[in-house]
Amino acid sequence: MSVSAERLDSDWVRGWCEQTSSALRVLMSAFLETHGFPPGENAVTLATDESRESTDALVDLTPIPSDLTTLYWVTCEVSLPDVGNGYFIHSASTVAEHFQEYGSVRIDDESPALVFASDGGGHLFAVTGSGRVWRSTTASWFDDFEVAAASIREFLEQIGRRVAGQD
């Protein structure tokens, strides 16, 4: 995987939110019939003034990759418990709380990584200064991490494909 030099664009993130929300409505409309039980609360929540203040507080707390800042200026959080094994992009306030409790994670020769998401199995997703997204190999802050995506954009594209049923 190559590291993308292209920065995440807020218009692109807004488009991803719209497309993913639309695909999510289709997926959830057939969920009960397909799975035999009702879906949980699946949502892409857009940023609010309060969540943007939390993003500012996170930036003041620790340096974060600019793509993560862009993501948080558009979205507050993403909760998709019924997509694959589940995907959760944590709110900036949750990321700040976790950072204060656990610190950053160390990944190979990368700069310290900030955990910003998880899956339904407890695996963590962290982003480094290079922009790469890493996934923990176990449900632990202190174990090994492997590359999950070359960028936050690629990470979001992967999630969008899962929601649309193309992955």
Side-chain angles (χ1 to χ4, degrees):
M1 270 183 235
S2 64
V3 178
S4 173
E6 186 176 330
R7 309 251 336 240
L8 190 62
D9 177 75
S10 59
D11 288 336
W12 184 90
V13 177
R14 277 190 275 288
W16 178 86
C17 290
E18 291 168 9
Q19 290 174 341
T20 302
S21 293
S22 178
L24 192 57
R25 284 189 291 279
V26 172
L27 179 65
M28 292 303 110
S29 70
F31 191 89
L32 178 60
E33 184 178 324
T34 303
H35 299 284
F37 58 91
E41 292 291 322
N42 292 268
V44 175
T45 307
L46 297 177
T48 63
D49 289 342
E50 183 179 333
S51 71
R52 287 187 184 110
E53 288 174 15
S54 294
T55 299
D56 289 341
L58 178 60
V59 169
D60 290 344
L61 182 64
T62 184
I64 69 171
S66 63
D67 285 357
L68 190 58
T69 305
T70 300
L71 177 65
Y72 284 139
W73 275 99
V74 178
T75 64
C76 176
E77 63 187 325
V78 176
S79 179
L80 305 172
D82 298 310
V83 175
N85 193 38
Y87 291 96
F88 306 92
I89 297 176
H90 307 154
S91 67
S93 61
T94 298
V95 172
E97 289 170 17
H98 288 164
F99 177 79
Q100 289 173 320
E101 186 170 344
Y102 303 107
S104 58
V105 294
R106 302 281 177 214
I107 300 175
D108 296 333
D109 294 333
E110 293 269 356
S111 59
L114 188 63
V115 172
F116 74 100
S118 60
D119 68 16
H123 293 96
L124 306 172
F125 294 94
V127 62
T128 60
S130 70
R132 285 190 281 204
V133 175
W134 296 76
R135 180 181 181 265
S136 63
T137 57
T138 64
S140 171
W141 287 75
F142 309 106
D143 241 338
D144 291 331
F145 281 73
E146 59 192 13
V147 175
S151 64
I152 289 178
R153 178 177 175 151
E154 184 177 292
F155 178 71
L156 294 173
E157 288 171 342
Q158 291 171 2
I159 293 172
R161 286 192 300 273
R162 294 293 305 263
V163 172
Q166 300 169 356
D167 225 4

